[in-house]
């Protein structure tokens, strides 16, 4: 939870800095224009400045709240850079208009042209990110099925040990392991950690055939350790 609030604070700090720049630009534009020129174009400048501010804040939030283990970061940074250039473009055009005094039509066309130039690449990047998110959902579904399969293996072990007459306290840790597997985050960890977990569960299944409580307990501890390492990796790479 603290990690989430720290990300929100970072985005909010960036928003405040950019808001200060917008306010300073608006003041400069206001006083650089004569009272006769202050009108529609001034409010157009303010509107596009605020739009650029919101756009760049959303781009920064996309990186701060990233998912996919960081796979979206390159596209996110590209959008942030484009957003920053667009933000500077809007500031430059606003100050330029304060000196030149463009007509409303010409000024709007300049802003719309700049918006199109910067927005189209961002839209294309968003489309690429959506495809990436689809791949991420597929990976999560595969991870959920894999964890469910491993939990079922532990469940079969529990049933066999119960049939063999082992006491409930001797298999309680196995029940906890099965529940932990079912409710673990399905986001994929590294291949080595996923493989270690699968090997640990397979080892537990093999050891359980001997119906030796001590061997089963040791194998269960190894499986729990492998699951913890796997889950810690997933959490730390959110």
């Amino acid at each position: 939870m603290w990690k989430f609030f720290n990300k929100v604070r970072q985005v909010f700090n960036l928003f405040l800095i950019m808001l200060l720049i917008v306010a300073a630009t608006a003041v400069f534009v206001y006083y650089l224009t004569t009272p006769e020129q202050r009108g529609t174009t001034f409010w157009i400048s303010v509107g596009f400045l605020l739009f650029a501010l919101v756009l760049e804040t959303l781009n920064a939030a996309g990186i701060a709240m990233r998912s996919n283990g960081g796979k979206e970061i390159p596209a996110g940074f590209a959008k942030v850079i484009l957003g920053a250039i667009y933000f500077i473009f809007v500031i430059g055009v606003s100050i330029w208009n304060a000196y030149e005094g463009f007509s409303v039509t010409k000024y709007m066309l300049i802003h719309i042209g700049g918006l199109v130039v910067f927005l189209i690449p961002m839209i294309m990047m968003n489309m690429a990110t959506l495809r990436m998110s689809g791949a991420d959902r597929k990976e999560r579904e595969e991870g959920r099925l894999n964890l469910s399969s491993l939990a079922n293996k532990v469940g079969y072990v529990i049933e066999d040990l119960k049939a063999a007459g082992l006491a409930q306290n001797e298999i309680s840790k196995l029940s906890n392991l099965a529940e932990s597997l079912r409710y673990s985050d399905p986001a994929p960890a590294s291949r080595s950690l996923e493989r270690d977990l699968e090997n640990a569960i397979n080892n537990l299944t093999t050891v359980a055939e001997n119906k030796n409580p001590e061997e089963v307990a040791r194998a269960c501890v190894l499986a729990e350790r492998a699951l913890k390492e796997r889950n810690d990796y997933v959490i730390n790479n959110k």
Side-chain angles (χ1 to χ4, degrees):
M1 186 61 71
W2 171 251
K3 202 173 185 180
F4 171 78
F5 283 116
N6 189 45
K7 292 177 179 179
V8 172
R9 186 180 64 181
Q10 291 174 357
V11 174
F12 185 67
N13 288 339
L14 176 63
F15 173 81
L16 289 180
I17 292 172
M18 294 180 65
L19 183 61
L20 180 62
I21 295 173
V22 167
T25 302
V27 170
F28 273 104
V29 169
Y30 184 83
Y31 285 107
L32 282 173
T33 53
T34 63
E36 295 78 17
Q37 293 175 318
R38 293 173 196 155
T40 305
T41 57
F42 172 75
W43 295 109
I44 290 174
S45 297
V46 172
F48 275 98
L49 282 167
L50 291 175
F51 175 77
L53 166 66
V54 172
L55 184 64
E56 184 65 351
T57 302
L58 291 176
N59 288 337
I63 288 184
M65 308 300 173
R66 64 187 179 274
S67 59
N68 293 340
K71 289 180 283 188
E72 293 178 358
I73 289 180
F77 270 123
K79 286 190 289 185
V80 167
I81 292 171
L82 276 174
I85 296 173
Y86 176 67
F87 186 65
I88 295 170
F89 166 80
V90 173
I91 293 173
V93 170
S94 299
I95 296 175
W96 186 22
N97 173 67
Y99 283 106
E100 295 294 332
F102 298 126
S103 67
V104 173
T105 302
K106 184 176 182 180
Y107 191 49
M108 276 296 295
L109 288 175
I110 292 173
H111 272 295
I112 291 173
L115 181 61
V116 169
V117 168
F118 287 101
L119 208 56
I120 287 178
M122 289 187 192
I123 292 173
M124 295 178 68
M125 290 176 192
N126 279 333
M127 292 171 64
T129 302
L130 286 174
R131 286 197 296 269
M132 191 179 298
S133 297
D136 181 57
R137 284 193 295 272
K138 183 178 179 181
E139 285 184 349
R140 289 179 67 87
E141 184 60 29
E142 291 175 351
R144 185 177 291 107
L145 291 174
N146 185 53
L147 289 171
S148 178
S149 175
L150 295 177
N152 289 338
K153 285 184 179 182
V154 177
Y156 298 146
V157 170
I158 293 172
E159 292 176 4
D160 289 344
L161 294 179
K162 283 183 178 179
L166 268 71
Q168 181 62 35
N169 65 320
E170 294 176 326
I171 59 177
S172 60
K173 286 189 174 182
L174 292 174
S175 299
N176 294 335
L177 174 61
E179 288 299 304
S180 297
L181 285 165
R182 288 191 180 93
Y183 294 106
S184 291
D185 191 326
S190 66
R191 290 184 180 179
S192 61
L193 290 176
E194 294 286 358
R195 186 169 55 251
D196 289 345
L197 175 59
E198 187 173 351
N199 290 339
I201 298 299
N202 289 336
N203 177 61
L204 173 62
T205 303
T206 302
V207 169
E209 294 175 358
N210 299 327
K211 308 297 189 295
N212 186 314
E214 293 181 357
E215 292 181 355
V216 170
R218 282 195 293 269
C220 182
V221 169
L222 292 176
E224 288 175 336
R225 188 178 302 163
L227 178 60
K228 183 179 184 304
E229 290 177 355
R230 181 253 179 213
N231 289 344
D232 286 345
Y233 178 93
V234 172
I235 291 173
N236 292 331
N237 283 273
K238 282 292 185 180

